[in-house]
Amino acid sequence: MVGLNLGCLNESGCFIKPVMMGFIGILLFCGLFIQVSGADSDEVRLIVYAAPNETGGYEPVPPDVPLPENVTYSLRSPLLGFVAVDTDPNETEYVTNELLNLPWVHEIEQDAQRKSGSVTKDDQIINSSPDQWALVRTGVDTVRRSGLNTSVLKVAVISTGVDLSHPDVGPIDQGYDWAGQDSRPEDADGYGTALCGVISLIAGNVSQNSTNSSLVLIPERIGVTGNDMSASRSALAIAHATDAGADIILMGYGGTEPSRAEDRAIAYAKDHGVLLIAPAGDEDSNAMHYPSDHFDVLSVGSVAKTDGLSYFSNYGIYNELVAPGEDIITPCLNTSYCRGTGTGFAAAEVAGVAALIKNGYPGLTSAEIRSLLQSSATDLGRTGRDIYYGYGLLNAPAAMKAAEDLTLQKTLIAFNSGTGSREMRRTLGSGNTTLHELQLVPGWNFVSIPAPLRSQKTCRDLFSKVNTDGHTIWTYKGIGGWIAQNPEISPAPLDGLLVYSDAPVSVPLVLNMNSNSTKPVEKGWNLAGSPFLKEIPARDILSPNESSWVSILPFNVSTQQYDPAIISGAEGRFSDTRNISPFTSFWIFMDTNGTFIRSSEV
């Protein structure tokens, strides 16, 4: 079976030419990605593809591949199922037909060219100017970076490499130079360094904040300059960055021709949960532009200081967002600074905000982050999405708020009662009556009492000095949902109560310390109280022999909002080492059946 000649870049206009092939030479290849020789400027590079298989991968590329005369190998990717060969332009058709006769060859196309923008050095700039207009216009300067997740977030930047010594570029790890074929992607152009610097500046990971190591950049160099890039190198870089653990990939380049190799790499990255971002292009055109016009890539256009579309920015149905792309101050080579203009810088800003979201809310998927960026954008132009501004202008504070809201929604999933129930039990230490105070703040309070009241006061008596401003005191009863607390009975130990107060107030509690307390805890969401009279890490709230709780959602009375969820076994922002305060209640999601027992001194 012979393959398809895709030199015309679409199958409808291609043709099949079976030709008898003379075997001239054999070259042995091994490894994941190999480049044997670079293509000269007067050569044409062909990408030779193996067919897709039923498992979602590709048929194997034989290690021994015969080549026609005057044809040399350039690149090889068994992972993506292709090899690239270089040949004389006058022999392209002959070589194509010869290769198509090989049984493993599925299709062939010429390597598509890619190019990126450029930067201009400005000796008068001495720092990255965090107050520059682009960050103010997108609200990045108002986003709080404190308290974000401390786990490592990786952002790959595919361009001309990076100045590895620049102080305003974050930590570098696992990059590669596909143009020079070594593991040191040193930038000789400056554009790649500029893109890395924008992301580092937005994510707050520059030299002034060297203690924040949560952002790591993966620079992938696919061209010495912005004019010598190719889709084959792009594909290798995308796959390599994915395997290196990238959460976000910025592809700082584009071209007018599609590429099967790039498509395969993008599909591979998407399947691994990577968010892919690319500039819409700088040709002031609505012609097709790749990889930004790929369905699985977030395409970003540029706006000027007036919020109008930049004079150079491409537009069209694939544009999703716009961001400032003119007169952007960026790090440059040799620890200097440049001014940059182009959709690449707008895309880098979107990548930086996406990194902030992923860093703060690591439980969100790439598809969710992409959707949040769209829904939170500031609408420009015609109402709704349009071909010039997409969904609108990047809005960092709104995107972060939307991420917080979505994380809360994901945490508060529909209550699942299941078939079993458990108990959370508190065995109190020996003693007699103990006097405590329940402190309420203005607004809603999530409270709980860890032991029976000595006086057996009713709910009405207990909160008689609290002005609830007409609000009902609520409790949550699983399948029954929210119910009004009966004012004529005493609050049950370890039950959660939702109490409103119009002012700060202290409620005295006289507890019976000789009484043990239990609370049934059902599968799904429960509103429960802390069984301790002191702060305790969330991981120790329940019996150490039981681990079937999944997440805890505490309410912050100071902000009148939920704090980030506490996830069992998590670290960083969602760490289960975070403390639960006494006399507070919280949402706790249970996963499996069992009885939780707590037996310790108060």
Side-chain angles (χ1 to χ4, degrees), residues 429-454:
S430 60
N432 294 309
T433 301
T434 305
L435 178 63
H436 296 275
E437 289 186 343
L438 178 62
Q439 301 292 337
L440 302 181
V441 301
W444 288 106
N445 298 261
F446 275 74
V447 299
S448 181
I449 300 171
L453 295 174
R454 180 76 173 183

Side-chain angles (χ1 to χ4, degrees), residues 168-171 200-207 209-210 212-216:
D168 282 353
V169 173
S200 291
L201 178 63
I202 291 176
N205 204 30
V206 295
S207 58
N209 191 14
S210 58
N212 177 8
S213 59
S214 59
L215 174 67
V216 172

Side-chain angles (χ1 to χ4, degrees), residues 376-388:
S376 63
T378 302
D379 194 17
L380 297 177
R382 302 178 70 175
T383 301
R385 185 175 184 179
D386 59 64
I387 64 172
Y388 298 105

Side-chain angles (χ1 to χ4, degrees), residues 159-176:
S159 185
T160 61
V162 67
D163 182 344
L164 299 171
S165 62
H166 202 293
D168 282 353
V169 173
I172 304 299
D173 184 38
Q174 296 181 321
Y176 195 78

Side-chain angles (χ1 to χ4, degrees), residues 49-104:
Y49 297 98
N53 59 30
E54 296 180 354
T55 65
Y58 305 96
E59 296 297 332
V61 178
D64 302 326
V65 180
L67 291 178
E69 188 176 4
N70 298 325
V71 177
T72 57
Y73 281 103
S74 178
L75 300 168
R76 173 184 173 91
S77 175
L79 175 67
L80 301 178
F82 74 79
V83 295
V85 298
D86 298 327
T87 185
D88 188 286
N90 297 324
E91 299 182 355
T92 301
E93 184 175 348
Y94 163 75
V95 170
T96 298
N97 290 328
E98 291 287 284
L99 292 173
L100 283 171
N101 203 45
L102 293 174
W104 66 272

Side-chain angles (χ1 to χ4, degrees), residues 34 36 67 74 82 90 131 152 176 245 350 387 457 492 510 565 591:
I34 299 178
V36 177
L67 291 178
S74 178
F82 74 79
N90 297 324
D131 59 343
V152 174
Y176 195 78
V350 172
I387 64 172
K457 278 187 176 182
V510 183
D591 186 32

